[in-house]
Amino acid sequence: MKLFRLLALLLLVGVSAWHVVAQERPSWVDGYFNDLRYSYIKTASAMAYSEEEALERAVAQVIEARSQESGIRMKVTVAADGRISSTGSDNLTVKARVIDRYCEYANGQYRVSVLAQVAKNPTYDFDMVRVTNDYGFTPSVFVPGMAQLQKGSKGKGIFFIAAETAFVGTIVVAECMRSSYNSKVNSSHDEAVRRSNADKADQCATVRNVAIAGAVAIYAWNVIDGIVAKGKKHIVIADRSTLDVQPFFTPFYGGGGGVSLCLNF
């Protein structure tokens, strides 16, 4: 039947699109800046004929911006953990690290973009910042496609919405047709017509049952994927609240001392 072919085509297109994987372009590449308590986060990009040189130039831009000077050529090294070290004629001390990076290749050159974190003072610890494609649980997983759209997976989100809509629509249409054929069975006295309508009603019931099973399967798949699947990379800034225990002394009321709890947030 045409309904079966439509559902099969929808599933085939969805499963095929599921396996199309491309390098994800983070949203921060187009520009990002955030001034935090102990550091700030910014983006920089540069082009070169090698990826390593483009990375060094991009990081050098971050350091030059920190020194508020231009035209300073510094030797920049990025460690495996993202820590940045630099050497040059300037005596500037910069504490910085690369949180994330993205590389593009076009016209024979590499364009490297970096998301860098720079401490406002070299003695400060970094604010807790990370780039991740993990997402926490949200009630939107119970609405087909919504969790996927929130994670930036538009293709999967549209697939779940379209598939669930198609199955539910098929259930409604098949049930209406089944009821119609059943009413024709009872209204006709021709045995051949009654048998034909009864067969068609049975076929519609089969389509309806298959669509119900498909809707349940797609919904369960949507919920599981919404909970466990990773999404588009996003920047997470963690709370840096600390609880310190400090001694104190007071000269009032005969003097005395003790310890105090200090919550920094």
Short mmCIF file of all heavy atoms in Angstrom, two decimals, residues 159-190:
data_model
loop_
_atom_site.label_atom_id
_atom_site.label_comp_id
_atom_site.label_asym_id
_atom_site.label_seq_id
_atom_site.Cartn_x
_atom_site.Cartn_y
_atom_site.Cartn_z
N PHE A 159 14.03 15.03 11.78
CA PHE A 159 13.68 13.64 11.49
C PHE A 159 12.69 13.08 12.50
O PHE A 159 11.69 12.46 12.15
CB PHE A 159 14.94 12.77 11.45
CG PHE A 159 14.65 11.30 11.50
CD1 PHE A 159 14.11 10.65 10.41
CD2 PHE A 159 14.90 10.57 12.66
CE1 PHE A 159 13.82 9.28 10.45
CE2 PHE A 159 14.62 9.20 12.71
CZ PHE A 159 14.08 8.56 11.59
N PHE A 160 12.96 13.30 13.80
CA PHE A 160 12.06 12.78 14.83
C PHE A 160 10.68 13.42 14.74
O PHE A 160 9.66 12.74 14.89
CB PHE A 160 12.67 12.99 16.21
CG PHE A 160 13.68 11.96 16.60
CD1 PHE A 160 14.97 12.32 16.94
CD2 PHE A 160 13.35 10.62 16.63
CE1 PHE A 160 15.92 11.37 17.29
CE2 PHE A 160 14.27 9.65 16.97
CZ PHE A 160 15.56 10.03 17.31
N ILE A 161 10.64 14.72 14.50
CA ILE A 161 9.35 15.41 14.39
C ILE A 161 8.58 14.88 13.19
O ILE A 161 7.38 14.57 13.28
CB ILE A 161 9.57 16.93 14.28
CG1 ILE A 161 10.17 17.49 15.57
CG2 ILE A 161 8.25 17.63 13.95
CD1 ILE A 161 10.58 18.93 15.49
N ALA A 162 9.26 14.78 12.03
CA ALA A 162 8.59 14.33 10.81
C ALA A 162 8.13 12.87 10.93
O ALA A 162 7.01 12.52 10.55
CB ALA A 162 9.53 14.49 9.62
N ALA A 163 8.99 12.02 11.49
CA ALA A 163 8.66 10.60 11.61
C ALA A 163 7.48 10.39 12.55
O ALA A 163 6.53 9.64 12.24
CB ALA A 163 9.87 9.81 12.09
N GLU A 164 7.51 11.06 13.70
CA GLU A 164 6.41 10.88 14.67
C GLU A 164 5.11 11.45 14.10
O GLU A 164 4.03 10.84 14.26
CB GLU A 164 6.76 11.58 15.98
CG GLU A 164 5.91 11.15 17.16
CD GLU A 164 6.18 9.70 17.58
OE1 GLU A 164 7.26 9.16 17.29
OE2 GLU A 164 5.27 9.12 18.21
N THR A 165 5.20 12.58 13.41
CA THR A 165 4.01 13.16 12.79
C THR A 165 3.44 12.23 11.73
O THR A 165 2.22 12.05 11.63
CB THR A 165 4.35 14.53 12.17
OG1 THR A 165 4.85 15.40 13.18
CG2 THR A 165 3.11 15.15 11.54
N ALA A 166 4.34 11.64 10.91
CA ALA A 166 3.88 10.73 9.86
C ALA A 166 3.20 9.50 10.44
O ALA A 166 2.15 9.07 9.96
CB ALA A 166 5.07 10.33 8.99
N PHE A 167 3.77 8.93 11.49
CA PHE A 167 3.16 7.74 12.09
C PHE A 167 1.82 8.06 12.73
O PHE A 167 0.84 7.31 12.57
CB PHE A 167 4.11 7.13 13.11
CG PHE A 167 5.17 6.25 12.52
CD1 PHE A 167 6.51 6.52 12.71
CD2 PHE A 167 4.83 5.13 11.78
CE1 PHE A 167 7.50 5.71 12.15
CE2 PHE A 167 5.79 4.30 11.23
CZ PHE A 167 7.13 4.60 11.42
N VAL A 168 1.77 9.17 13.47
CA VAL A 168 0.49 9.55 14.11
C VAL A 168 -0.56 9.85 13.06
O VAL A 168 -1.73 9.45 13.17
CB VAL A 168 0.71 10.75 15.05
CG1 VAL A 168 -0.64 11.27 15.56
CG2 VAL A 168 1.59 10.37 16.23
N GLY A 169 -0.17 10.56 12.00
CA GLY A 169 -1.10 10.84 10.91
C GLY A 169 -1.59 9.57 10.25
O GLY A 169 -2.79 9.45 9.90
N THR A 170 -0.69 8.62 10.07
CA THR A 170 -1.07 7.34 9.47
C THR A 170 -2.06 6.60 10.37
O THR A 170 -3.01 5.98 9.88
CB THR A 170 0.17 6.47 9.24
OG1 THR A 170 1.07 7.16 8.36
CG2 THR A 170 -0.20 5.14 8.61
N ILE A 171 -1.85 6.65 11.68
CA ILE A 171 -2.77 5.99 12.62
C ILE A 171 -4.17 6.57 12.47
O ILE A 171 -5.17 5.84 12.38
CB ILE A 171 -2.27 6.16 14.07
CG1 ILE A 171 -0.96 5.40 14.27
CG2 ILE A 171 -3.32 5.66 15.06
CD1 ILE A 171 -0.28 5.70 15.58
N VAL A 172 -4.26 7.90 12.42
CA VAL A 172 -5.56 8.56 12.33
C VAL A 172 -6.25 8.22 11.01
O VAL A 172 -7.44 7.86 10.97
CB VAL A 172 -5.40 10.08 12.48
CG1 VAL A 172 -6.73 10.79 12.23
CG2 VAL A 172 -4.87 10.43 13.87
N VAL A 173 -5.49 8.33 9.90
CA VAL A 173 -6.08 8.07 8.58
C VAL A 173 -6.51 6.61 8.45
O VAL A 173 -7.61 6.30 7.96
CB VAL A 173 -5.07 8.43 7.47
CG1 VAL A 173 -5.59 7.97 6.10
CG2 VAL A 173 -4.83 9.94 7.45
N ALA A 174 -5.64 5.70 8.89
CA ALA A 174 -5.95 4.27 8.78
C ALA A 174 -7.18 3.90 9.62
O ALA A 174 -8.03 3.11 9.18
CB ALA A 174 -4.75 3.44 9.21
N GLU A 175 -7.29 4.47 10.80
CA GLU A 175 -8.44 4.17 11.66
C GLU A 175 -9.72 4.73 11.05
O GLU A 175 -10.79 4.09 11.11
CB GLU A 175 -8.21 4.74 13.06
CG GLU A 175 -9.37 4.55 14.02
CD GLU A 175 -9.73 3.08 14.24
OE1 GLU A 175 -8.89 2.19 13.98
OE2 GLU A 175 -10.88 2.82 14.65
N CYS A 176 -9.65 5.93 10.48
CA CYS A 176 -10.83 6.50 9.83
C CYS A 176 -11.28 5.65 8.64
O CYS A 176 -12.48 5.40 8.44
CB CYS A 176 -10.55 7.93 9.37
SG CYS A 176 -10.36 9.12 10.72
N MET A 177 -10.31 5.18 7.85
CA MET A 177 -10.63 4.34 6.71
C MET A 177 -11.20 3.00 7.15
O MET A 177 -12.13 2.46 6.55
CB MET A 177 -9.39 4.14 5.85
CG MET A 177 -8.91 5.41 5.15
SD MET A 177 -7.36 5.17 4.23
CE MET A 177 -7.90 4.01 2.97
N ARG A 178 -10.64 2.44 8.23
CA ARG A 178 -11.14 1.17 8.75
C ARG A 178 -12.60 1.30 9.18
O ARG A 178 -13.44 0.44 8.88
CB ARG A 178 -10.28 0.70 9.92
CG ARG A 178 -10.61 -0.70 10.41
CD ARG A 178 -9.99 -0.94 11.78
NE ARG A 178 -10.60 -0.08 12.79
CZ ARG A 178 -11.77 -0.33 13.38
NH1 ARG A 178 -12.47 -1.42 13.06
NH2 ARG A 178 -12.25 0.48 14.29
N SER A 179 -12.90 2.38 9.89
CA SER A 179 -14.28 2.61 10.34
C SER A 179 -15.22 2.78 9.15
O SER A 179 -16.37 2.29 9.16
CB SER A 179 -14.34 3.84 11.24
OG SER A 179 -13.55 3.67 12.39
N SER A 180 -14.73 3.48 8.11
CA SER A 180 -15.55 3.70 6.92
C SER A 180 -15.86 2.38 6.21
O SER A 180 -17.02 2.12 5.82
CB SER A 180 -14.84 4.65 5.97
OG SER A 180 -15.57 4.81 4.76
N TYR A 181 -14.84 1.55 6.06
CA TYR A 181 -15.06 0.26 5.39
C TYR A 181 -15.97 -0.64 6.23
O TYR A 181 -16.81 -1.39 5.68
CB TYR A 181 -13.74 -0.44 5.11
CG TYR A 181 -12.98 0.15 3.94
CD1 TYR A 181 -11.67 0.61 4.10
CD2 TYR A 181 -13.57 0.24 2.69
CE1 TYR A 181 -10.97 1.16 3.03
CE2 TYR A 181 -12.88 0.79 1.60
CZ TYR A 181 -11.57 1.25 1.79
OH TYR A 181 -10.89 1.79 0.72
N ASN A 182 -15.82 -0.60 7.53
CA ASN A 182 -16.70 -1.40 8.39
C ASN A 182 -18.16 -0.97 8.26
O ASN A 182 -19.08 -1.80 8.27
CB ASN A 182 -16.27 -1.28 9.85
CG ASN A 182 -15.20 -2.30 10.22
OD1 ASN A 182 -15.07 -3.33 9.56
ND2 ASN A 182 -14.43 -2.01 11.25
N SER A 183 -18.39 0.32 8.17
CA SER A 183 -19.76 0.80 8.00
C SER A 183 -20.34 0.37 6.66
O SER A 183 -21.54 0.10 6.54
CB SER A 183 -19.80 2.33 8.13
OG SER A 183 -19.07 2.93 7.07
N LYS A 184 -19.46 0.29 5.63
CA LYS A 184 -19.93 -0.17 4.32
C LYS A 184 -20.27 -1.66 4.35
O LYS A 184 -21.17 -2.11 3.63
CB LYS A 184 -18.86 0.11 3.26
CG LYS A 184 -18.66 1.59 2.96
CD LYS A 184 -17.56 1.80 1.92
CE LYS A 184 -17.35 3.29 1.65
NZ LYS A 184 -16.27 3.50 0.65
N VAL A 185 -19.53 -2.41 5.18
CA VAL A 185 -19.84 -3.84 5.31
C VAL A 185 -21.25 -4.05 5.84
O VAL A 185 -22.02 -4.89 5.35
CB VAL A 185 -18.80 -4.53 6.23
CG1 VAL A 185 -19.25 -5.96 6.57
CG2 VAL A 185 -17.44 -4.55 5.58
N ASN A 186 -21.60 -3.26 6.83
CA ASN A 186 -22.91 -3.41 7.47
C ASN A 186 -24.06 -2.82 6.65
O ASN A 186 -25.22 -3.16 6.87
CB ASN A 186 -22.90 -2.76 8.85
CG ASN A 186 -21.88 -3.41 9.77
OD1 ASN A 186 -21.65 -4.62 9.70
ND2 ASN A 186 -21.25 -2.60 10.63
N SER A 187 -23.72 -1.93 5.71
CA SER A 187 -24.78 -1.27 4.94
C SER A 187 -25.05 -1.94 3.60
O SER A 187 -25.96 -1.52 2.87
CB SER A 187 -24.41 0.20 4.70
OG SER A 187 -23.22 0.28 3.92
N SER A 188 -24.27 -2.95 3.23
CA SER A 188 -24.46 -3.61 1.93
C SER A 188 -25.01 -5.03 2.12
O SER A 188 -24.66 -5.73 3.08
CB SER A 188 -23.13 -3.66 1.18
OG SER A 188 -23.26 -4.38 -0.03
N HIS A 189 -25.83 -5.44 1.15
CA HIS A 189 -26.37 -6.80 1.16
C HIS A 189 -25.68 -7.69 0.14
O HIS A 189 -25.96 -8.89 0.09
CB HIS A 189 -27.89 -6.77 0.87
CG HIS A 189 -28.66 -6.00 1.89
ND1 HIS A 189 -28.91 -6.46 3.17
CD2 HIS A 189 -29.25 -4.76 1.83
CE1 HIS A 189 -29.60 -5.58 3.85
NE2 HIS A 189 -29.84 -4.53 3.05
N ASP A 190 -24.76 -7.08 -0.65
CA ASP A 190 -24.02 -7.86 -1.64
C ASP A 190 -22.84 -8.53 -0.93
O ASP A 190 -21.98 -7.86 -0.37
CB ASP A 190 -23.52 -6.93 -2.76
CG ASP A 190 -22.91 -7.69 -3.92
OD1 ASP A 190 -22.28 -8.75 -3.69
OD2 ASP A 190 -23.05 -7.21 -5.06
#
